[in-house]
Every structure is written in C-alpha cells, then in structure tokens.
Amino acid sequence: MTTTDPDTGFRALDATPMGYGSMRRKEDARFVRGKGRYLDDIVLPGMLHAAILRSPHAHARIVSIDTSAAEAHPRVRAVITGETLAGLGLAWMPTLSHDVQSVLATDKVRFQGQEVAFVVAEDRYSARDALALVDVEYDPLPAVIDAQHALDADAPVIRDDQEGRTDNHIFDWEAGDAAATDDVFARADVVSSCDMLYPRSHPAPMETCGSIASMDPVSGKLTVYTTTQAPHAHRTVYALVAGLPEHKIQIISPDIGGGFGNKVGIYPGYVCAVVGSIVTGAPVKWTEDRSENLMSTSFARDYHMRGEIAATHDGKLLGVRVTVLADHGAFNGTAQPSKMPAGLFHVFSGSYDLAAAHCAVTGVYTNKAPGGVAYACSFRITEAVYLIERLVDVLAHDQGWDPAELRRTNLLRSEQFPYTTALGWEYDSGDYPRTLATALDMAGYDELRAEQKQVRSAYERGESPMLMGIGLSFFTEAVGAGPRRTMDILGLGMADGAELRIHPTGKAVLRLSCMTQGQGHQTTFAQIVAEELGISPDDIEVVQGDTDQTPFGLGTYGSRSTPVSGAATAMVARKVRDRARIVAAAMLEVSPDDLEWEKGAFRVAGDPAAAATMNEIAMAAHSDLELPDDVEGHLDATCVYNPPNLTYPCGAYVCVVDVDTATGQVKVRRFVAVDDCGVRINPMVVEGQVHGGLADGIGMALMEVMAFDTDGNHLGASFMDYLLPTAMECPSWELGETVTPSPHHPIGAKGVGESATVGSPPAVTNAVLDAIRVRHADMPLTPAAVWRAVRGTPLRTDLAIG
Amino acid sequence: MEITVTVNGTGYTRDVEPRLLLVHFLRDTLGLTGTHWGCDTSNCGVCVAWLDETPVKTCTVLAVMADGHRVRTVEDLATGDTLDPVQQGFSDRHGLQCGFCTPGMLMTARRLLDDDPDPSEATIREAISGQICRCTGYENIVRSVRAAAEIERTADQEARA
Amino acid sequence: MQVPAQFEYERATSVAHAVELLTRYGPDSRLVAGGHSLIPMMKLRIAEPETLIDINDVAELTGIRLDGTELVLGAMARHADLLASPLAVEHFPILVDAERVIADPVVRNRGTVGGSLCQADPSEDLSAAFAAVHAVAVIEGADGRRQVPVREFHVGPYQTVVGDAEILVEIRVPVRPGGGSAYEKVERRVGDWSVAAAGAALWLDPTGVVTDAGIGLTAVGAAQFAAARAEEFLRGVPGSDDAFTEAGRIAAEDCRPVADQRGPVDYKRHLAGELTTRALRRAAARARGQEA
C-alpha cells in the first residue's frame, strides 16, 4: 500500500510495486550521488570550447566586423561570423513557425543579445577572452520595444530582410464564431471587459542550454550531444537546415537539468557548434551562461489581451471574446503545432458551459528575442486560463458576486462529457463540480471568507495595514498533442513510437522517443510496462535521448509524454502480451482462447495449476519451442501511437494571501490544489510535478518578468534581475485529487506536467486583487506593483519603471 | 600558480590560473562533475560545496583561495553503497526531479543536520533559501531533509540500544 | 559561464603585509575578502584588477568583540558571524535584523562585513545600519590608522574614503545604555537587494523621551545613508507613534530615490517613510524591553 503521511505527503514504497504506485525513482541513484551526466559534464577527446559574441544593441545595422585580433589569440582556433555562415548557406535557418531566424547576424542585429560571432578556442576561458577582441562597428537604429506601438505607421521596420515588407505585422488569426459571439454579447445583461498582459517570462531551467558537436571527417557522421527535449525533431531539423543526410546524424540528449520548454528549439549556438566542428575538425562544446539563456533563448508568453465576458444578471455565463496582441520578438520562432499560430490558446472558454466564444490574435515583430511558447505553458493554455479565470473574477468584482459561487454554477457538469466547446475542442472527461467542491472544502472556504471580513474590518478601522485575499482558479488543460491529422511540427505528425523487447530471462528494454528532463520517465514508463506485463519496474530499462537507439517521435513538451508516449508504451506492452499468449498456449498445449491473463502469467481457465509466467514465456519464446507458423519467435513489439484526441486534465486551486498595503508585500499563506489527471501511475511523482508548477505560479504572479527599456535593454538578464521563487516564498502546498480517467487513453491517464503552471498564476493574482479589492493589475504583483494598484495608478510591467 | 587542495579527503596539487573558479577546478581540473553551475551571479546555488566545514557558492570562490584548504563535494557523501541519510531522504521523499540543484541542496542539508539534528520546516526553508530549484516547489526538499533527520535519529537510537 | 579576466594573485598574511602588497602593486590592485561582490563584477568584466590581494588569511581582521564601551567588528567578520553574534544580539539587534536579510545563508557564510561596506553599493544594507548606530570605520595604511565615521565613509556610489594603499580593518560601534535598534527592509524576494530599507537606533530616558536617535536609509538616495533632519526632530520629544510617523515623513521628504525595476520614485519615497516609522517603533519597543 502507498504510505501517506497526512502532514508530509507521499513516501516511496519500501518494495518496488508491480505496476503503479509511489515507487522510488530509478534515476535518483545517480543524481543523489552527483553522478548524473549533464551536457557540460561531457568531455570528448580533443574537445574545443566556444563562446558567442552578442549584440549590445536592440536594433542596429552592422557596419563592420573585424575578427583579426581574436584570430591572433594564441589559443583561438576559429572565429565564425555571419559572413562565414553565409558562404555555407547557413546564416539564416528556418524557425518552427514558417519564418527564418538569423544564426549569426549579417545585415542587422534585431535584439539585444543576438548572436554576432562564434569563437572557438582551446579552453573556455580563452574563448571568453577572445570575445573582447572581436571588433564590431554598429550603426544604432531606433528600436520597437512596446508591442502596442509595433504596428504604428512610423514604427521602424525590423524585418527588412524580407523583400517588400513595410511593417512589423506577422499574422492575424482567429478562432470561434465571431457573429454568434457578438449575438450572445448583444443579448447579455452584463458584460465585463478587461485589458490584461501576460508578461514576457522565461523558463529558466537551472541548467542552461548547450551543445557539443562532433563531426567525424572519415565517416561523415555528425554526433550532437545537446540539451534537447525533442531529439528526433532536432535530428530532422539539422538534416533539413544543414543538408546533412539524416542517417549520418546522431542526437544524444544526456541528463537534462530542467527544460520547461526552453530546450525544445534549435538555437544559433547549436548550429554554430556544428559548423565549428566541421571547420576545426574537433568536437566543439558551447554552453550558455545565464545571461545568454535569459536574453536569447526561448522566452514565454508576452500576450497583451483585451477580454470580455458576457453573462445574464443572475450569473449565467454566456460567452467570451478576446483580442490579443502577441509580441513574438524579432523572428517568429514559436514552437507549437504548425497550423496554430496562437498554439492552443483557443481553449480559453475554459471550464464553463458557454454558448459562444471568439478570439482574434495578431502577431507582431519587436526588437526582442524570438520564442514565445515555452515555460510549461501547454502551447499557450497558460495565457488562455489566465484570461478566463481573470475575467470570471473581474465579472464577480463588477457584480458583487462570490467568485466561488460564480464558478460553481457555471462549471461543466459530469454528464455533459464528452463536451464540445464553442471553440471546437472535445473535452474527454471530468467531474468539475466535485473537483471544485473538494478544493473549497480542503481550504475551508467559508471560514476563510469570515476571517477575511474580520481582517478587513481591522484595516478599515485603521488598526492594521494588513488585508487578506482568497483567490480561485479552475482550469481545463488540453494536453497530449496530438492527433497527427490536426497537429504537426514542421510537417511531422505528432505521433510517438515505442519499442519493447523482452530478453530471454524475462527482463525488458523499452525504447521511447520522448525525453525526460526530470519528470522521472525511467521510472514511470517502466511502471506502465510492469502494470501491463507483470515484470518488475526494476527489471525494465527505459532508453531515451539517443536517436540511434530509439524510435521516432516528437519529444517531451506540452505535457505530451504520458498521453502519447505513455499510451504507446501501454499499447506496445499489450502487443507483447498478445504474443506471449500465443507462446504460452504453445508451451501449455492449449488454445490461446483458453488462457486467462493474471498480471505476470497466463493461466489455463479452469486449471489454475497450469500456468506460464512471463519469465517462462520469455525464455520459451527464445527457445526451440515450436510456435504456430505465423508467429515469429522472440518477444518484442513496436508501435506508433497516434492519439485520437487530447487529454483534458483539470484542477481547482485556492490561494490565500496576506497583503501589507503599506509596503505592497504579499505573503502566500496557503495554497490548496486539487488536480484531476485521470489515473496516476506514480502518485508521488505526480505530486512532485504539481508542486513544481505551483511554485511557477508564485513566480509568475509575484516576481518573474522580462521588461525592456526604451532602448531595448533587457532588464531581466541575470538571476539578480529575473527573480525566481525560493523556498521562502512558497507555502507548504496542500494537495488533493479527483480521478476521472480519460476514456480514450489506454490506461486512462492524462498529462499533468504543466497543469499547475497553467492553473496557479490566476489563483495567486486573484487572491492579491481580492485582498486589495482592485479590479485588475498586471503580473508580476511585486511590492511596488501592489502598492501602486492600491492607489489606482498601476504599473506597466513590461516596460522600464520610470 | 601551484595550489594544493584537499578534496573529499584526497590532496590534489595542480598548476592553475589565479582566475580559475573553484567550481571549474572541481569539474574541469579534477573531473568531479557532481558540483554544477547555473548562473554567474551567485544567486542560484547549484554550485554549493563545502570549503572546510562551510557551504559556499563555488562559482564565487577562486581555486587559489582554496589553496591549503579542504573541499567537500556531493561525491563524498555516500560511503560505498551506503547513502548518506540526506541522500536517502531525498530519494525516499522525491526531493529531486531533474537533479541539477540536488548536489548543492544535499551539501547544505548535510551541514544543517550536522548543526541542528532536528530542524523545523522554517529552519530548512531558510537554510536553502539561497538555492533555486525549478522542479520541486521545495516541498519535497523540505520533507526530504526532515526524513533524513528522522533516519539519523533512528540510527542514533539503534546505535545506543 | 562568465569568467574573470586574467590577474595576478597574492595572499596577505597580515594587515601590514596587505598594505605593503597594495603599495607594491599600485592602484590597479584590489583586496578580495569574501569576494561575493567583487568576483561577480570581475566575471562580468566590470572590474578587471591587475592584482588581487587575498586577505582571508589575515587573522587580525576577524572576530567580533567588546572593547570597553565599543562593539568592534573585524572587517573580515563574515555576515554569518555577525548574524550569530550574541554581542550583536545584546547590543545592536539592528545589525542582526540587517544581516538576516542580506543575500542568503550560503553567501553570508563567505561575504564579509568590511567587504560589503567597501563595495559601497547604494543598496547594500550595512551602510545604513552602521550609519544609524554612528559606527566608526578604522582604516590602516602605511602611515598608521585613522578613524572615519561611517557617515563620512562613502564618497559616492561604489566609492569610499579608503585610499589605494589602505585597508579597512574594523568597525567600532559605541555602546550606550538605554537604547534599542531595528532594521526594516522591503525586498521583491528573499535574497534580493533592498527596494528600500530603514534602520533606527533610539535612546530613551526613563520617561520615554528620546535622548538620541540614529536613522539609516538604504537604496533611497539618502545623504550618507542617514536621515539627519528626522533624527534632529526626534531628539527631546516623547518617543510616541505620532513622533515616529512625523520622523518617517521627514525622512521620506529628504531622500532622493531613483526609479528602477524595484520600484518607482513615489513608492520608494513612501517606503523610506513607512519603514523609518516601523523601524523606530520596533527600536522603541526594544529600548523599553518590550520586544526582543
């Protein structure tokens, strides 16, 4: 049985479970000993080290680049510039969003921190030294920093590399039925609207991005060790970008120190490392420093939204509409299903039964780094959930309604599933009212409201500067991209392969395309096989992260591992079980139909003594046992899982904060999170995933932001300026669960990796604004922002504070 | 310049540049890659190891400053196959996910338990407040340290019985 | 990872040796104590000293002791030492309050009191705390020692009166009975530099009248990290909430904060006042023995 201490959560089971349960993670044996093998731990013979010279300007024309002094440095082996790359046709590379991106700048620099030159030296210190020896002359240009002015007639044109371009407009995209939505709004008794910014933030994994490229001049094989969440996608992109044959490219993703979407894309440094290796004939390692990570690699969010919500005057929600100005930076480089320029943002009707909804999204270029979809956002469902959950609270604020009651009366009911939303999504399952009720009950919602009233009285009597806030959010996630007919990356359908081989002694190896970055795949995927086949997880090796060793698949992001690769794992195990049945039938000399499966063995119906265990079956499958003519020997299988639909986990969150109105300081006192992610394979690991996401909510709502001054200087370019939550800001999380299995997933599981990151920011924001009774203020609610919000002069959080 | 540093009980004499950071001395010069680096500004704490008896951020200490001193890293915690109680606690209580901040957390936790065998939740949170974890939301790290304390108390009682 | 440029390294064994090394290597040499301000700046290559003189082995610079009626802090006392010092707890809780919010525990294990003061970052906490308690810096050079009140120690952001071939050796704080002190800081997150902070030291006579007051301000552009006019206002008036509110108002009026990502000017000015008032209240409670 799972041991749960009420006050201290899950503890690993003493014995390894034969399937699901809170087992200790297999990967921890190396991590707790300091024996993980991360990118920068890898040393190849003769390896060189690289560093990147970056633009100090947000927008400038490059007049000249003089590399002679750097090349004269005794330990420098190569200096690569945009000109070098242009000669190889590699100065620009395609993005994942139908655009191109500069690898090393040739004509202009378009954001501060953009890659200008790549220095390869014999050691990492010399590479850094040589950066100062590269002389670049810039002619600075006015920068486009405020997205709200990117489309002004007099705005400087950032992408003049594109012939005939006269503005900074990237795309217009819409979803939902505009006319039907307008109708609903016209009929509504009450409408609330609100402008809100989900500011630019960064995944900031503890390990930065990096790559070691090694081109074997004899075999022509390129090996790239790299921090990637999607090894197979990277291999295909390298093949397409560099024109190298795909079978001559091996991508190896070693242990990854956190990804959160930051390690999905291909960055200029990776491409330069490949070129560096080709030029020098030696392996080349490039690793980012923290500033480079924050300034240049995939940012997240940056959505300027104007939302409206319509309701009847007795509190029935009717519809939502939103216009979005999406700041995509200097190159359109979001990583998302390619047919969806706003990702999965159009699940913004949320968890409510709405008659109509519509969104119109406009993407613009600005002089900032490219990216946009990252940081555990489920392809922009963070923005969608923030929008709807803020709008519900704004409506409640405007009408004087209780936000819990407003949600409760409008949540989808369990009998409505499967439910097709006004925006076309088919939600698979859920029991939303029960999930919300569980959270409110755990939080003691009524008691909290009573306490809040008392605190406010003391405040109003002038006895205390303190106020208390209670914030709710109810989210529906949409994860497990995706059905290949609707979702692809660069034309690659989002289906995942799996290969399972049972060795003669009954041990097994499972090969997968997804890539753990701390989620515990080595453990949980072994548990899925164990549950299906009765082989201990200790006896199952899970292989990931090496394209020469694993089947094709699109990788780990968007919480898709369990929904897609997890399903593939269950399906491939069932294929093996089907084969095992035939082998067992031959062993026991009965018809396969006479066998009954009992975890780990087939038994003859009516004769329980006659049985074959998986161990015996595995050995027999490799032996001289006579098998039916159409049955191959051995015991293995492959499969490709194409998900029929996304999975739709949900959750109800309650956050309690104390706000010091005289200083603006916020203390998160409690956080109750009830998640429903269907069947839980390893409850301890699921709980850990939720914890991490809840901390993201504290970070996002209270401190994380990348703002820019009018010159385009990045004001969050180190961990002194880009603040991440510590143990002191996080409360002791209070977790609960409801379980509604996904009806279409083979084991009823739903993805959970990003649920809490998606669901928690509005809960924290709603709590702070509930405390100070302010209708809206943008994240992050730093002490200054809260103090200003109380005084009715809120800060614009994406720009420098003036 | 030539320095001698005793790392995990072994003396190492190496010729290094004065500017070599201690974290690079450990990782690149000695090949002890359990100590990681994560920022440039001594904010993240993934590089924490002990200088003599004290946890320090090794990205902000020069190797030459450790000349004549002792350094202890995560590689020194386990004895053969036997994990240190802090390692066992982190494993039992899921105190790590990607594992990148873990060595630093373990070294701080080890020092904390040496000084305070029964730390409160608040004490643990304060002790690790200069070390960022992006995966766990800290909850299970706190539980892991408490579990480690429990393991040590049980071991002590058994030793006395 | 960012790395420093090349430099020469010397290790001083005594204060005299350190001064000798500073003299020998000239103005492009720098002392390194804990290194937690200097080394990050060297990695960013904002600081590129030609020679680094390590004073971590100089035993005479360590320690926290009572010398007659003065609390003496060695320049190489680590932040963690001051935080744990029973003498500081007894005589100047303001220093303990401030230390508790300086950086983080691991940084405090290495960073030093003297290093922080000499770095002279306008957001650094000890400058204001020492200004509040009228501390005196003791500086040694080839010609011997000189004493400089902390309120005359800073000549600008990142600049102090310590000469090229001089070294800060200790900070002396006069201990006077009947006092209480406290430090109040607002930060965006634990471990961050101050948005604003205020330190107060207060001496009350038996009737509760303020006999002397010291107010230090961090990160709000206060002259010499102090609020002189507010201090003057308090002397001779009863130590009441109203008086502390008025002192806060005066302190806010006199500071000159600049806007940055920690906050706009109006907010920082407000904080200067609010935190001054709060620090005074707590200092008074401590002076009266009502609060630890």
Side-chain angles (χ1 to χ4, degrees):
Chain A
M1 283 301 294
T2 304
T3 318
T4 307
D5 300 354
D7 61 332
T8 54
F10 288 104
R11 167 190 293 157
L13 295 166
D14 288 332
T16 303
M18 188 62 84
Y20 304 158
S22 289
M23 78 174 270
R24 236 175 241 110
R25 297 198 325 167
K26 298 167 68 168
E27 39 274 85
D28 291 354
R30 63 179 186 278
F31 291 143
V32 297
R33 287 174 171 86
K35 299 292 184 192
R37 188 168 179 252
Y38 301 91
L39 193 276
D40 196 41
D41 300 343
I42 297 169
V43 177
L44 301 181
M47 187 174 78
L48 303 173
H49 296 264
I52 292 179
L53 181 71
R54 294 175 181 276
S55 167
H57 301 286
H59 200 191
R61 200 159 295 286
I62 295 178
V63 179
S64 64
I65 303 178
D66 181 354
T67 60
S68 54
E71 281 162 351
H73 187 291
R75 296 179 70 83
V76 167
R77 297 279 289 271
V79 181
I80 296 164
T81 63
E83 199 179 339
T84 325
L85 295 182
L88 301 166
L90 288 174
W92 295 80
M93 65 178 180
T95 70
L96 297 178
S97 301
H98 317 288
D99 194 358
V100 292
Q101 167 179 3
S102 171
V103 178
L104 292 176
T106 48
D107 53 340
K108 288 201 307 191
V109 288
R110 293 174 171 83
F111 65 92
Q112 189 188 46
Q114 187 179 337
E115 299 80 359
V116 175
F118 189 81
V119 175
V120 183
E122 289 166 16
D123 66 277
R124 62 172 101 219
Y125 282 49
S126 297
R128 284 267 160 189
D129 290 344
L131 295 181
L133 302 175
V134 179
D135 188 16
V136 185
E137 191 186 334
Y138 296 99
D139 180 11
L141 300 167
V144 180
I145 297 307
D146 185 347
Q148 295 178 16
H149 293 293
L151 297 179
D152 287 358
D154 59 350
V157 177
I158 298 166
R159 295 300 301 280
D160 47 0
D161 56 297
Q162 300 173 344
E163 216 175 298
R165 174 169 278 283
T166 56
D167 62 21
N168 296 313
H169 178 266
I170 309 176
F171 66 84
D172 289 316
W173 181 80
E174 59 183 310
D177 186 331
T181 308
D182 290 347
D183 260 9
V184 159
F185 273 80
R187 286 188 283 111
D189 302 324
V190 293
V191 170
S192 284
S193 64
C194 186
D195 290 319
M196 59 184 91
L197 167 68
Y198 207 133
R200 183 173 276 238
S201 60
H202 199 280
M206 295 319 295
E207 178 201 36
T208 60
C209 301
S211 179
I212 304 169
S214 179
M215 172 61 92
D216 184 325
V218 178
S219 67
K221 182 155 184 173
L222 172 68
T223 304
V224 182
Y225 296 83
T226 188
T227 50
T228 175
Q229 302 176 215
H232 288 276
H234 273 220
R235 184 180 61 184
T236 303
V237 172
Y238 281 113
L240 296 172
V241 170
L244 295 165
E246 200 163 356
H247 67 296
K248 294 285 191 186
I249 304 173
Q250 180 182 17
I251 306 293
I252 300 174
S253 193
D255 286 327
I256 295 185
F260 317 109
N262 190 219
K263 292 168 180 168
V264 172
I266 290 191
Y267 297 120
Y270 301 173
V271 177
C272 290
V274 172
V275 175
S277 180
I278 293 171
V279 168
T280 61
V284 171
K285 177 190 277 186
W286 170 72
T287 55
E288 290 175 327
D289 65 36
R290 181 55 63 187
S291 288
E292 295 180 289
N293 178 251
L294 291 167
M295 290 175 80
S296 71
T297 57
S298 199
F299 76 93
R301 334 285 194 239
D302 218 343
Y303 258 31
H304 299 251
M305 302 182 276
R306 178 173 182 76
E308 295 172 278
I309 187 164
T312 63
H313 47 69
D314 55 355
K316 163 79 184 142
L317 299 181
L318 298 173
V320 174
R321 62 186 171 197
V322 55
T323 54
V324 179
L325 182 68
D327 183 341
H328 281 226
F331 309 101
N332 187 19
T334 57
Q336 64 205 354
S338 64
K339 298 182 186 79
M340 302 174 173
L344 277 55
F345 178 73
H346 52 305
V347 296
F348 65 85
S349 61
S351 313
Y352 310 105
D353 190 7
L354 301 182
H358 179 260
C359 71
V361 183
T362 296
V364 296
Y365 290 121
T366 60
N367 287 113
K368 302 176 194 172
V373 173
Y375 201 171
C377 73
S378 283
F379 301 124
R380 296 211 191 271
I381 297 178
T382 39
E383 291 92 323
V385 167
Y386 183 74
L387 172 83
I388 182 72
E389 290 306 294
R390 255 315 19 251
L391 281 178
V392 168
D393 259 41
V394 166
L395 176 65
H397 178 275
D398 290 350
Q399 300 301 322
W401 294 334
D402 177 73
E405 183 63 13
L406 182 57
R407 285 180 173 83
R408 195 185 62 74
T409 52
N410 284 285
L411 285 177
L412 294 168
R413 299 180 314 279
S414 55
E415 65 271 20
Q416 290 178 279
F417 290 92
Y419 173 84
T420 302
T421 73
L423 294 151
W425 304 92
E426 189 189 295
Y427 291 3
D428 56 352
S429 64
D431 187 350
Y432 293 3
R434 190 161 63 89
T435 306
L436 178 62
T438 305
L440 295 176
D441 189 45
M442 282 175 65
Y445 184 72
D446 294 338
E447 293 81 358
L448 287 171
R449 285 288 177 208
E451 183 188 351
Q452 181 186 36
K453 210 172 273 178
Q454 289 182 347
V455 170
R456 182 160 268 280
S457 307
Y459 170 82
E460 283 167 357
R461 289 194 302 270
E463 294 166 9
S464 160
M466 301 305 294
L467 285 172
M468 172 183 168
I470 303 150
L472 273 70
S473 93
F474 196 105
F475 67 89
T476 299
E477 259 268 65
V479 300
R484 55 190 295 186
R485 123 188 89 79
T486 52
M487 297 192 190
D488 70 274
I489 301 265
L490 278 183
L492 305 167
M494 299 184 78
D496 284 2
E499 296 174 7
L500 179 62
R501 174 172 304 154
I502 314 300
H503 302 308
T505 56
K507 315 299 185 196
V509 58
L510 172 70
R511 299 171 191 279
L512 297 172
S513 61
C514 59
M515 182 61 214
T516 189
Q517 311 126 45
Q519 294 93 334
H521 289 178
Q522 281 186 287
T523 306
T524 48
F525 286 96
Q527 289 183 270
I528 295 174
V529 174
E531 184 73 25
E532 297 294 332
L533 295 180
I535 299 171
S536 170
D538 292 337
D539 294 334
I540 301 162
E541 183 73 5
V542 176
V543 178
Q544 297 183 309
D546 181 340
T547 54
D548 277 6
Q549 302 292 330
T550 54
F552 189 84
L554 268 288
T556 292
Y557 43 83
S559 301
R560 64 187 300 278
S561 297
T562 298
V564 189
S565 279
T569 298
M571 297 307 278
V572 80
R574 287 172 193 178
K575 275 189 171 178
V576 164
R577 198 165 71 201
D578 290 345
R579 173 97 64 85
R581 176 187 290 270
I582 296 168
V583 175
M587 289 167 71
L588 299 167
E589 298 180 338
V590 296
S591 157
D593 297 340
D594 293 336
L595 293 174
E596 290 172 349
W597 172 252
E598 183 183 293
K599 198 190 276 187
F602 279 105
R603 296 186 186 281
V604 178
D607 181 6
T613 65
M614 275 304 294
N615 269 358
E616 293 162 348
I617 296 167
M619 188 57 84
H622 291 81
S623 73
D624 58 0
L625 176 73
E626 192 101 6
L627 294 171
D629 285 346
D630 57 342
V631 177
E632 294 173 0
H634 302 177
L635 199 54
D636 53 25
T638 66
C639 92
V640 176
Y641 187 78
N642 175 28
N645 188 5
L646 300 170
T647 65
Y648 294 83
C650 71
Y653 292 174
V654 183
C655 178
V656 184
V657 300
D658 295 300
V659 179
D660 184 334
T661 54
T663 63
Q665 287 168 298
V666 173
K667 176 80 186 162
V668 178
R669 187 204 299 185
R670 289 179 65 197
F671 202 112
V672 172
V674 177
D675 273 88
D676 190 334
C677 58
V679 171
R680 297 184 174 200
I681 300 158
N682 184 326
M684 184 180 81
V685 166
V686 170
E687 189 183 60
Q689 293 287 296
V690 173
H691 286 163
L694 296 177
D696 286 339
I698 303 276
M700 212 75 62
L702 301 182
M703 61 190 81
E704 291 180 45
V705 67
M706 301 198 302
F708 294 80
D709 70 14
T710 49
D711 293 331
N713 291 307
H714 193 301
L715 303 177
S718 79
F719 279 166
M720 278 191 291
D721 305 302
Y722 191 78
L723 301 177
L724 300 170
T726 76
M728 302 294 278
E729 287 76 38
C730 295
S732 184
W733 315 111
E734 302 168 59
L735 267 47
E737 66 172 331
T738 56
V739 178
T740 49
S742 170
H744 64 76
H745 189 276
I747 62 172
K750 302 180 179 185
V752 73
E754 299 162 312
S755 282
T757 311
V758 165
S760 56
V764 180
T765 304
N766 286 344
V768 175
L769 297 176
D770 177 65
I772 60 179
R773 289 194 183 167
V774 167
R775 191 171 185 269
H776 179 73
D778 286 328
M779 300 185 289
L781 294 165
T782 59
V786 171
W787 186 81
R788 278 293 202 87
V790 169
R791 274 143 198 87
T793 51
L795 291 175
R796 174 101 185 252
T797 57
D798 56 332
L799 302 178
I801 293 175
Chain B
M1 62 183 281
E2 191 177 275
I3 61 170
T4 300
V5 186
T6 301
V7 181
N8 300 334
T10 304
Y12 296 91
T13 300
R14 295 288 187 277
D15 190 28
V16 301
E17 276 195 282
R19 62 172 169 163
L20 184 70
L21 300 169
L22 181 56
V23 67
H24 286 144
F25 178 74
L26 295 171
R27 293 176 49 81
D28 297 348
T29 310
L30 303 184
L32 292 168
T33 55
T35 305
H36 302 140
W37 59 265
C39 73
D40 299 293
T41 47
S42 67
N43 292 99
C44 82
V46 305
C47 64
V48 170
W50 290 11
L51 182 58
D52 297 321
E53 302 301 322
T54 308
V56 299
K57 294 186 173 176
T58 60
C59 76
T60 313
V61 176
L62 301 170
V64 289
M65 294 170 96
D67 184 21
H69 292 267
R70 285 166 295 127
V71 172
R72 190 180 186 205
T73 69
V74 66
E75 285 92 345
D76 192 50
L77 286 176
T79 310
D81 287 342
T82 308
L83 294 178
D84 184 279
V86 294
Q87 294 171 307
Q88 192 62 51
F90 273 65
S91 180
D92 290 350
R93 292 303 187 130
H94 192 29
L96 65 151
Q97 290 180 31
C98 80
F100 206 71
C101 74
T102 310
M105 291 288 184
L106 290 171
M107 296 314 290
T108 297
R110 183 63 269 157
R111 177 77 262 157
L112 175 65
L113 292 185
D114 286 349
D115 295 340
D116 178 357
D118 188 19
S120 67
E121 177 185 336
T123 303
I124 297 166
R125 285 183 184 273
E126 220 255 321
I128 61 171
S129 63
Q131 293 164 259
I132 306 287
C133 172
R134 295 292 278 152
C135 299
T136 66
Y138 304 102
E139 181 77 32
N140 285 348
I141 293 177
V142 174
R143 291 173 184 171
S144 296
V145 178
R146 285 164 65 121
E150 179 69 33
I151 292 168
E152 293 194 348
R153 278 200 300 279
T154 309
D156 276 359
Q157 282 159 9
E158 281 169 6
R160 263 186 250 117
Chain C
M1 183 169 177
Q2 294 168 3
V3 297
Q6 288 173 325
F7 54 83
E8 297 294 316
Y9 174 83
E10 292 279 359
R11 216 185 249 201
T13 53
S14 66
V15 170
H17 186 209
V19 170
E20 181 199 319
L21 290 168
L22 284 168
T23 308
R24 189 192 313 161
Y25 288 100
D28 289 327
S29 61
R30 286 282 297 264
L31 296 175
V32 63
H36 276 56
S37 300
L38 182 58
I39 292 174
M41 287 176 73
M42 289 169 65
K43 286 193 217 172
L44 289 164
R45 308 210 173 181
I46 296 169
E48 293 197 32
E50 287 178 5
T51 308
L52 218 49
I53 298 163
D54 183 352
I55 53 172
N56 280 277
D57 279 359
V58 181
E60 61 195 289
L61 292 176
T62 61
I64 297 168
R65 64 183 201 282
L66 209 53
D67 179 8
T69 58
E70 288 182 319
L71 180 70
V72 183
L73 314 171
M76 280 299 297
R78 311 275 175 191
H79 292 300
D81 299 335
L82 180 51
L83 181 57
S85 162
L87 287 172
V89 172
E90 183 185 345
H91 298 291
F92 293 106
I94 181 177
L95 299 178
V96 180
D97 289 350
E99 281 294 354
R100 192 171 288 126
V101 292
I102 290 175
D104 64 66
V106 182
V107 168
R108 293 197 294 261
N109 282 341
R110 190 77 186 150
T112 65
V113 169
S116 287
L117 213 53
C118 290
Q119 183 66 22
D121 188 304
S123 302
E124 186 276 317
D125 295 287
L126 287 180
S127 301
F130 284 133
V133 296
H134 294 278
V136 173
V138 181
I139 299 164
E140 186 170 327
D143 301 332
R145 292 191 170 195
R146 62 191 177 109
Q147 299 209 342
V148 178
V150 163
R151 293 186 181 206
E152 296 165 22
F153 185 78
H154 301 90
V155 293
Y158 307 99
Q159 290 177 308
T160 71
V161 297
V162 181
D164 286 342
E166 284 189 315
I167 172 170
L168 173 69
V169 290
E170 60 192 29
I171 297 105
R172 304 182 79 92
V173 194
V175 177
R176 286 181 284 158
S181 64
Y183 190 76
E184 297 275 352
K185 170 171 169 173
V186 167
E187 51 193 0
R188 293 177 299 179
R189 189 210 64 191
V190 163
D192 189 21
W193 298 91
S194 287
V195 176
L202 211 54
W203 287 266
L204 304 175
D205 73 11
T207 67
V209 169
V210 176
T211 56
D212 197 9
I215 297 171
L217 291 168
T218 302
V220 289
Q224 292 301 331
F225 295 93
R229 210 160 57 88
E231 293 168 349
E232 191 50 45
F233 161 78
L234 284 170
R235 285 184 196 112
V237 305
S240 66
D241 270 10
D242 285 350
F244 299 152
T245 303
E246 177 60 13
R249 193 195 61 75
I250 297 169
E253 207 170 88
D254 288 358
C255 68
R256 299 170 68 185
V258 291
D260 60 16
Q261 290 313 96
R262 291 186 175 80
V265 168
D266 57 349
Y267 171 61
K268 290 188 177 186
R269 188 182 297 286
H270 162 81
L271 277 186
E274 177 69 26
L275 297 179
T276 294
T277 303
R278 288 186 183 193
L280 284 166
R281 270 194 227 132
R282 230 164 100 211
R286 283 172 170 163
R288 296 182 194 116
Q290 291 163 339
E291 189 186 319

